[in-house]
Amino acid sequence: MLMRDFIEDSLYNPHYGYFSKNVTIFSPGAPFDFNHIRDEPDFHRLLGERYTQFEDELDVAEYREDRQLWHTPTELFRPYYGEAIARYMVANYRLTLYPYHDLVIYELGAGNGTLMLNILDHVRRTDPDVYSRTKFRIIEVSSALATLQSHRLHATAASRGHAEKVEIINKSVFDWDLYVPDPCFFLAMEVFDNFAHDMIRHDPATEETLQCSVLIDAEGEFYEFYSRDLDPVAARFLRVRDAACQDRNYPHPIHNTPRFIRNIRHALPFAPNLTLPEYIPTRLMQFFSLLGTHFPAHRLITSDFHSLPQATKGYNAPVVQTRYQRRTVLVRTPLVQQGRLQRCVVGLFADPRES
Ligand SMILES: C[S@@+](CC[C@H](N)C(=O)[O-])C[C@H]1O[C@@H](n2cnc3c(N)ncnc32)[C@H](O)[C@@H]1O
């Protein structure tokens, strides 16, 4: 199978996938009192304490070595993070859409549902008129997280008040088939980095691009195969990138090195016959196509990693992790046993000139 299908299967397979298993997003309990935190190390010390406490409590209920635990800005900086986004949306909505349209918000991948609650609380408190015209729809692939979001929506009297505004749609965004002509805000916080990638390498002599497929033998060993025939999605990505970035101002295994240096390097004994791998965000491109065709009047609000320390070798390469005895263990390739892949995240908004 293609590398993106392998990663997608590891992440989303209903039986062993990262998002289908017991995904747990860290919640720090009461919001941090930021005005009384001295500096960043002080914040990290407090965060470490809350993290241990959170995991200890989970272990009392059920010990799981393979628990998928991660934290997001939504959780760390709640409720202020959600409030800042709400303030932006209401101001923008009042300026450009009010009173002709309702405030329609789609949230892709809502995790614990914290952003949804923080946004709705803020709109209700600060602008009751806009609140009365607000609709909030969540698109969530994980059934466990969709259930948690629904529980939190009914947990307190205050949150129950939002229930009639919220619809939780438990499906992958890639299975979305409804046409939504109305103007809407589309939130995607810390989701894109999880989408699957394809892997390509280049022939330094001919500059040709080869695409990686994964083969799994009867013993479960993984092998990479490279083909000069690109599948239509990868081929489209490269065409779109060429058209969009004609100055080729992005990190690339071949374009950024003068030809004569490349030739010398690859004429050396034992030089590899292909470049380092390059990871291309083919699933993200498909998402943008879907957003354009099915939500033609959307306004996208998104956040994601700017850079990733400890990524695997290659260009735009992911951080790949598994967990062992409550520790996160880095691995060097996405080709780990199905069901053991915990994360395969890629930084998306790095300034290419920095690399
Ligand atoms: C890292 S969590 C971020 C959660 C939340 N947005 C936050 O900021 O706390 C990623 C979320 O996206 C969801 N997700 C991942 N891929 C998805 C897909 N293809 N369709 C819908 N939801 C998806 C996950 O289940 C999870 O809820």
Side-chain angles (χ1 to χ4, degrees):
M1 60 178 86
L2 293 171
M3 180 60 98
R4 73 164 179 275
D5 294 332
F6 179 85
I7 296 176
E8 179 119 352
D9 178 65
S10 293
L11 296 179
Y12 298 101
N13 186 294
H15 303 293
Y16 48 73
Y18 174 49
F19 291 111
S20 322
K21 286 173 66 178
N22 185 18
V23 283
T24 311
I25 301 176
F26 168 70
S27 165
F32 288 104
D33 181 4
F34 286 102
N35 286 338
H36 292 97
I37 295 177
R38 221 177 323 127
D39 48 21
E40 207 179 319
D42 198 24
F43 172 68
H44 282 288
R45 185 186 52 74
L46 282 174
L47 177 61
E49 285 170 11
R50 300 244 192 134
Y51 220 90
T52 311
Q53 194 185 347
F54 181 80
E55 210 165 2
D56 285 345
E57 280 165 20
L58 288 180
D59 280 349
V60 171
E62 184 194 10
Y63 181 78
R64 284 186 67 115
E65 202 171 275
D66 62 346
R67 182 181 297 122
Q68 326 268 358
L69 191 63
W70 78 87
H71 60 263
T72 63
T74 302
E75 297 295 337
L76 297 189
F77 306 124
R78 86 187 160 86
Y80 316 108
Y81 193 73
E83 288 180 0
I85 293 166
R87 225 174 14 249
Y88 165 74
M89 285 193 296
V90 171
N92 196 291
Y93 165 76
R94 277 216 171 260
L95 213 60
T96 60
L97 300 173
Y98 184 85
Y100 306 106
H101 298 275
D102 288 341
L103 172 58
V104 181
I105 304 167
Y106 280 81
E107 186 183 359
L108 171 61
N112 289 344
T114 304
L115 195 72
M116 172 254 303
L117 292 175
N118 293 162
I119 288 173
L120 289 174
D121 284 348
H122 185 77
V123 180
R124 181 169 58 188
R125 196 170 59 245
T126 57
D127 198 331
D129 183 22
V130 169
Y131 180 74
S132 69
R133 308 192 51 179
T134 299
K135 295 192 179 98
F136 202 107
R137 298 197 183 106
I138 288 175
I139 306 170
E140 173 57 62
V141 70
S142 157
S143 307
L145 290 177
T147 308
L148 176 66
Q149 291 153 16
S150 167
H151 277 152
R152 289 198 66 202
L153 202 50
H154 295 91
T156 62
S159 60
R160 271 195 296 280
H162 298 313
E164 63 170 28
K165 310 236 157 255
V166 181
E167 186 185 352
I168 300 170
I169 303 150
N170 185 198
K171 61 155 71 169
S172 168
V173 71
F174 294 108
D175 297 329
W176 187 266
D177 50 10
L178 261 183
Y179 182 71
V180 180
D182 308 318
C184 60
F185 289 92
F186 200 103
L187 307 179
M189 314 313 260
E190 321 295 318
V191 187
F192 293 166
D193 57 293
N194 296 124
F195 288 170
H197 279 53
D198 269 298
M199 188 166 132
I200 55 176
R201 290 185 194 242
H202 306 267
D203 182 332
T206 62
E207 299 197 4
E208 255 180 308
T209 303
L210 291 85
Q211 185 174 7
C212 178
S213 295
V214 182
L215 184 136
I216 309 165
D217 73 10
E219 268 82 52
E221 288 294 330
F222 299 111
Y223 299 90
E224 290 172 20
F225 278 89
Y226 288 89
S227 161
R228 287 173 202 275
D229 296 325
L230 304 186
D231 91 291
V233 181
R236 179 173 172 223
F237 176 85
L238 296 178
R239 271 199 316 276
V240 169
R241 182 169 71 175
D242 276 350
C245 314
Q246 285 177 0
D247 58 359
R248 294 185 162 177
N249 192 9
Y250 52 85
H252 188 276
I254 285 190
H255 297 158
N256 305 138
T257 319
R259 180 185 280 270
F260 76 94
I261 295 186
R262 259 188 284 135
N263 287 348
I264 294 172
R265 206 179 276 159
H266 289 282
L268 294 173
F270 306 115
N273 61 352
L274 293 178
T275 61
L276 280 175
E278 185 188 356
Y279 290 82
I280 52 171
T282 32
R283 266 320 219 171
L284 180 61
M285 179 190 69
Q286 289 180 312
F287 167 77
F288 283 137
S289 290
L290 188 144
L291 196 62
T293 52
H294 289 70
F295 298 85
H298 72 271
R299 292 155 190 218
L300 178 64
I301 302 177
T302 185
S303 73
D304 232 301
F305 290 101
H306 167 263
S307 67
L308 286 172
Q310 301 180 305
T312 59
K313 265 193 169 174
Y315 290 76
N316 196 30
V319 170
V320 191
Q321 296 172 341
T322 184
R323 255 171 93 81
Y324 181 66
Q325 295 186 340
R326 277 175 62 154
R327 293 240 166 110
T328 298
V329 181
L330 284 166
V331 284
R332 277 180 305 187
T333 163
L335 300 185
V336 296
Q337 191 194 358
Q338 297 93 322
R340 302 294 300 177
L341 183 66
Q342 192 205 2
R343 307 186 84 189
C344 182
V345 293
V346 171
L348 286 157
F349 299 121
D351 180 346
R353 281 155 302 191
E354 283 175 6
S355 309

mmCIF file of all heavy atoms in Angstrom, residues 48-70:
data_model
loop_
_atom_site.group_PDB
_atom_site.id
_atom_site.type_symbol
_atom_site.label_atom_id
_atom_site.label_comp_id
_atom_site.label_asym_id
_atom_site.label_seq_id
_atom_site.Cartn_x
_atom_site.Cartn_y
_atom_site.Cartn_z
ATOM 1 N N GLY A 48 3.920 19.919 34.877
ATOM 2 C CA GLY A 48 4.428 18.566 35.164
ATOM 3 C C GLY A 48 3.674 17.948 36.336
ATOM 4 O O GLY A 48 3.279 16.779 36.294
ATOM 5 N N GLU A 49 3.458 18.758 37.390
ATOM 6 C CA GLU A 49 2.744 18.244 38.571
ATOM 7 C C GLU A 49 1.319 17.822 38.194
ATOM 8 O O GLU A 49 0.847 16.754 38.561
ATOM 9 C CB GLU A 49 2.654 19.333 39.655
ATOM 10 C CG GLU A 49 3.960 19.559 40.390
ATOM 11 C CD GLU A 49 3.902 20.798 41.280
ATOM 12 O OE1 GLU A 49 2.800 21.353 41.480
ATOM 13 O OE2 GLU A 49 4.974 21.224 41.743
ATOM 14 N N ARG A 50 0.650 18.698 37.439
ATOM 15 C CA ARG A 50 -0.743 18.386 37.080
ATOM 16 C C ARG A 50 -0.815 17.161 36.154
ATOM 17 O O ARG A 50 -1.745 16.380 36.213
ATOM 18 C CB ARG A 50 -1.376 19.597 36.372
ATOM 19 C CG ARG A 50 -1.402 20.821 37.228
ATOM 20 C CD ARG A 50 -2.824 21.247 37.524
ATOM 21 N NE ARG A 50 -2.848 22.560 38.092
ATOM 22 C CZ ARG A 50 -3.684 23.526 37.715
ATOM 23 N NH1 ARG A 50 -4.551 23.317 36.772
ATOM 24 N NH2 ARG A 50 -3.657 24.699 38.303
ATOM 25 N N TYR A 51 0.208 17.025 35.292
ATOM 26 C CA TYR A 51 0.247 15.912 34.343
ATOM 27 C C TYR A 51 0.336 14.587 35.101
ATOM 28 O O TYR A 51 -0.410 13.644 34.830
ATOM 29 C CB TYR A 51 1.485 16.070 33.442
ATOM 30 C CG TYR A 51 1.245 15.720 31.993
ATOM 31 C CD1 TYR A 51 0.815 16.687 31.088
ATOM 32 C CD2 TYR A 51 1.459 14.436 31.517
ATOM 33 C CE1 TYR A 51 0.598 16.377 29.755
ATOM 34 C CE2 TYR A 51 1.251 14.125 30.188
ATOM 35 C CZ TYR A 51 0.820 15.094 29.310
ATOM 36 O OH TYR A 51 0.605 14.785 27.995
ATOM 37 N N THR A 52 1.270 14.544 36.086
ATOM 38 C CA THR A 52 1.451 13.310 36.861
ATOM 39 C C THR A 52 0.179 12.983 37.619
ATOM 40 O O THR A 52 -0.295 11.843 37.634
ATOM 41 C CB THR A 52 2.622 13.492 37.858
ATOM 42 O OG1 THR A 52 3.724 14.015 37.134
ATOM 43 C CG2 THR A 52 3.007 12.184 38.513
ATOM 44 N N GLN A 53 -0.398 14.023 38.226
ATOM 45 C CA GLN A 53 -1.629 13.833 38.994
ATOM 46 C C GLN A 53 -2.747 13.278 38.091
ATOM 47 O O GLN A 53 -3.446 12.331 38.442
ATOM 48 C CB GLN A 53 -2.040 15.190 39.557
ATOM 49 C CG GLN A 53 -3.093 15.147 40.627
ATOM 50 C CD GLN A 53 -3.499 16.584 40.996
ATOM 51 O OE1 GLN A 53 -2.827 17.567 40.634
ATOM 52 N NE2 GLN A 53 -4.589 16.701 41.702
ATOM 53 N N PHE A 54 -2.860 13.853 36.889
ATOM 54 C CA PHE A 54 -3.899 13.448 35.942
ATOM 55 C C PHE A 54 -3.725 11.975 35.565
ATOM 56 O O PHE A 54 -4.666 11.192 35.575
ATOM 57 C CB PHE A 54 -3.782 14.338 34.689
ATOM 58 C CG PHE A 54 -4.803 14.048 33.614
ATOM 59 C CD1 PHE A 54 -6.095 14.535 33.722
ATOM 60 C CD2 PHE A 54 -4.460 13.308 32.490
ATOM 61 C CE1 PHE A 54 -7.028 14.301 32.713
ATOM 62 C CE2 PHE A 54 -5.386 13.057 31.492
ATOM 63 C CZ PHE A 54 -6.668 13.554 31.604
ATOM 64 N N GLU A 55 -2.466 11.583 35.276
ATOM 65 C CA GLU A 55 -2.239 10.210 34.839
ATOM 66 C C GLU A 55 -2.392 9.230 36.005
ATOM 67 O O GLU A 55 -2.868 8.115 35.819
ATOM 68 C CB GLU A 55 -0.872 10.079 34.154
ATOM 69 C CG GLU A 55 -0.942 8.984 33.121
ATOM 70 C CD GLU A 55 0.173 8.939 32.102
ATOM 71 O OE1 GLU A 55 1.101 9.756 32.181
ATOM 72 O OE2 GLU A 55 0.109 8.055 31.240
ATOM 73 N N ASP A 56 -1.999 9.656 37.220
ATOM 74 C CA ASP A 56 -2.181 8.786 38.390
ATOM 75 C C ASP A 56 -3.664 8.493 38.589
ATOM 76 O O ASP A 56 -4.056 7.356 38.859
ATOM 77 C CB ASP A 56 -1.621 9.459 39.656
ATOM 78 C CG ASP A 56 -0.097 9.419 39.690
ATOM 79 O OD1 ASP A 56 0.478 8.645 38.901
ATOM 80 O OD2 ASP A 56 0.509 10.163 40.482
ATOM 81 N N GLU A 57 -4.488 9.533 38.444
ATOM 82 C CA GLU A 57 -5.929 9.334 38.636
ATOM 83 C C GLU A 57 -6.491 8.379 37.581
ATOM 84 O O GLU A 57 -7.319 7.523 37.875
ATOM 85 C CB GLU A 57 -6.672 10.672 38.579
ATOM 86 C CG GLU A 57 -6.567 11.422 39.903
ATOM 87 C CD GLU A 57 -6.968 12.883 39.787
ATOM 88 O OE1 GLU A 57 -7.668 13.246 38.824
ATOM 89 O OE2 GLU A 57 -6.551 13.675 40.664
ATOM 90 N N LEU A 58 -5.998 8.514 36.336
ATOM 91 C CA LEU A 58 -6.464 7.604 35.287
ATOM 92 C C LEU A 58 -6.061 6.173 35.606
ATOM 93 O O LEU A 58 -6.816 5.229 35.393
ATOM 94 C CB LEU A 58 -5.866 7.995 33.932
ATOM 95 C CG LEU A 58 -6.392 9.262 33.265
ATOM 96 C CD1 LEU A 58 -5.671 9.475 31.942
ATOM 97 C CD2 LEU A 58 -7.891 9.156 33.008
ATOM 98 N N ASP A 59 -4.827 6.017 36.161
ATOM 99 C CA ASP A 59 -4.323 4.676 36.460
ATOM 100 C C ASP A 59 -5.128 4.006 37.561
ATOM 101 O O ASP A 59 -5.244 2.782 37.597
ATOM 102 C CB ASP A 59 -2.842 4.738 36.867
ATOM 103 C CG ASP A 59 -1.946 4.857 35.642
ATOM 104 O OD1 ASP A 59 -2.469 4.673 34.524
ATOM 105 O OD2 ASP A 59 -0.755 5.146 35.806
ATOM 106 N N VAL A 60 -5.664 4.801 38.492
ATOM 107 C CA VAL A 60 -6.488 4.210 39.555
ATOM 108 C C VAL A 60 -7.721 3.563 38.920
ATOM 109 O O VAL A 60 -8.110 2.438 39.248
ATOM 110 C CB VAL A 60 -6.910 5.289 40.586
ATOM 111 C CG1 VAL A 60 -7.933 4.745 41.556
ATOM 112 C CG2 VAL A 60 -5.679 5.810 41.315
ATOM 113 N N ALA A 61 -8.311 4.264 37.942
ATOM 114 C CA ALA A 61 -9.492 3.717 37.276
ATOM 115 C C ALA A 61 -9.104 2.519 36.399
ATOM 116 O O ALA A 61 -9.763 1.480 36.421
ATOM 117 C CB ALA A 61 -10.156 4.805 36.434
ATOM 118 N N GLU A 62 -8.020 2.656 35.606
ATOM 119 C CA GLU A 62 -7.595 1.566 34.713
ATOM 120 C C GLU A 62 -6.159 1.817 34.288
ATOM 121 O O GLU A 62 -5.859 2.871 33.699
ATOM 122 C CB GLU A 62 -8.496 1.532 33.458
ATOM 123 C CG GLU A 62 -8.186 0.390 32.544
ATOM 124 C CD GLU A 62 -8.831 0.570 31.152
ATOM 125 O OE1 GLU A 62 -9.346 1.674 30.878
ATOM 126 O OE2 GLU A 62 -8.789 -0.374 30.362
ATOM 127 N N TYR A 63 -5.262 0.846 34.569
ATOM 128 C CA TYR A 63 -3.866 1.035 34.157
ATOM 129 C C TYR A 63 -3.743 0.659 32.691
ATOM 130 O O TYR A 63 -4.123 -0.418 32.282
ATOM 131 C CB TYR A 63 -2.924 0.170 35.003
ATOM 132 C CG TYR A 63 -1.477 0.391 34.596
ATOM 133 C CD1 TYR A 63 -0.804 1.529 35.028
ATOM 134 C CD2 TYR A 63 -0.840 -0.498 33.746
ATOM 135 C CE1 TYR A 63 0.507 1.767 34.627
ATOM 136 C CE2 TYR A 63 0.467 -0.271 33.342
ATOM 137 C CZ TYR A 63 1.138 0.865 33.791
ATOM 138 O OH TYR A 63 2.419 1.101 33.386
ATOM 139 N N ARG A 64 -3.227 1.574 31.889
ATOM 140 C CA ARG A 64 -3.017 1.282 30.464
ATOM 141 C C ARG A 64 -1.655 1.780 30.065
ATOM 142 O O ARG A 64 -1.391 2.979 30.089
ATOM 143 C CB ARG A 64 -4.072 2.000 29.616
ATOM 144 C CG ARG A 64 -5.416 1.367 29.635
ATOM 145 C CD ARG A 64 -6.275 2.101 28.637
ATOM 146 N NE ARG A 64 -5.764 1.837 27.309
ATOM 147 C CZ ARG A 64 -6.433 1.173 26.377
ATOM 148 N NH1 ARG A 64 -7.622 0.715 26.627
ATOM 149 N NH2 ARG A 64 -5.909 0.983 25.184
ATOM 150 N N GLU A 65 -0.813 0.835 29.638
ATOM 151 C CA GLU A 65 0.521 1.242 29.223
ATOM 152 C C GLU A 65 0.477 1.964 27.884
ATOM 153 O O GLU A 65 1.287 2.825 27.598
ATOM 154 C CB GLU A 65 1.384 -0.013 29.090
ATOM 155 C CG GLU A 65 2.836 0.292 29.196
ATOM 156 C CD GLU A 65 3.607 -0.992 29.272
ATOM 157 O OE1 GLU A 65 3.746 -1.521 30.377
ATOM 158 O OE2 GLU A 65 4.053 -1.441 28.216
ATOM 159 N N ASP A 66 -0.504 1.582 27.060
ATOM 160 C CA ASP A 66 -0.547 2.141 25.707
ATOM 161 C C ASP A 66 -1.491 3.343 25.634
ATOM 162 O O ASP A 66 -1.967 3.695 24.564
ATOM 163 C CB ASP A 66 -0.988 1.075 24.703
ATOM 164 C CG ASP A 66 -2.399 0.576 25.019
ATOM 165 O OD1 ASP A 66 -2.893 0.850 26.129
ATOM 166 O OD2 ASP A 66 -2.991 -0.078 24.148
ATOM 167 N N ARG A 67 -1.786 3.954 26.781
ATOM 168 C CA ARG A 67 -2.721 5.075 26.754
ATOM 169 C C ARG A 67 -2.192 6.192 25.853
ATOM 170 O O ARG A 67 -1.017 6.508 25.849
ATOM 171 C CB ARG A 67 -2.924 5.619 28.167
ATOM 172 C CG ARG A 67 -3.925 6.761 28.214
ATOM 173 C CD ARG A 67 -4.112 7.304 29.608
ATOM 174 N NE ARG A 67 -4.663 6.321 30.508
ATOM 175 C CZ ARG A 67 -4.056 5.934 31.629
ATOM 176 N NH1 ARG A 67 -2.904 6.437 31.971
ATOM 177 N NH2 ARG A 67 -4.610 5.019 32.404
ATOM 178 N N GLN A 68 -3.105 6.770 25.054
ATOM 179 C CA GLN A 68 -2.716 7.838 24.144
ATOM 180 C C GLN A 68 -3.001 9.166 24.840
ATOM 181 O O GLN A 68 -4.133 9.579 24.909
ATOM 182 C CB GLN A 68 -3.551 7.767 22.861
ATOM 183 C CG GLN A 68 -3.926 6.377 22.426
ATOM 184 C CD GLN A 68 -2.927 5.810 21.471
ATOM 185 O OE1 GLN A 68 -1.972 6.481 21.112
ATOM 186 N NE2 GLN A 68 -3.107 4.593 21.050
ATOM 187 N N LEU A 69 -1.970 9.812 25.356
ATOM 188 C CA LEU A 69 -2.190 11.040 26.122
ATOM 189 C C LEU A 69 -1.497 12.201 25.421
ATOM 190 O O LEU A 69 -0.328 12.100 25.091
ATOM 191 C CB LEU A 69 -1.589 10.838 27.522
ATOM 192 C CG LEU A 69 -1.911 11.883 28.578
ATOM 193 C CD1 LEU A 69 -3.394 11.930 28.877
ATOM 194 C CD2 LEU A 69 -1.154 11.568 29.861
ATOM 195 N N TRP A 70 -2.239 13.274 25.172
ATOM 196 C CA TRP A 70 -1.552 14.433 24.629
ATOM 197 C C TRP A 70 -2.216 15.696 25.125
ATOM 198 O O TRP A 70 -3.335 15.662 25.629
ATOM 199 C CB TRP A 70 -1.454 14.366 23.108
ATOM 200 C CG TRP A 70 -2.666 14.707 22.310
ATOM 201 C CD1 TRP A 70 -3.049 15.949 21.902
ATOM 202 C CD2 TRP A 70 -3.640 13.808 21.766
ATOM 203 N NE1 TRP A 70 -4.198 15.871 21.157
ATOM 204 C CE2 TRP A 70 -4.580 14.575 21.057
ATOM 205 C CE3 TRP A 70 -3.813 12.428 21.819
ATOM 206 C CZ2 TRP A 70 -5.667 14.011 20.405
ATOM 207 C CZ3 TRP A 70 -4.901 11.870 21.166
ATOM 208 C CH2 TRP A 70 -5.807 12.650 20.474
#
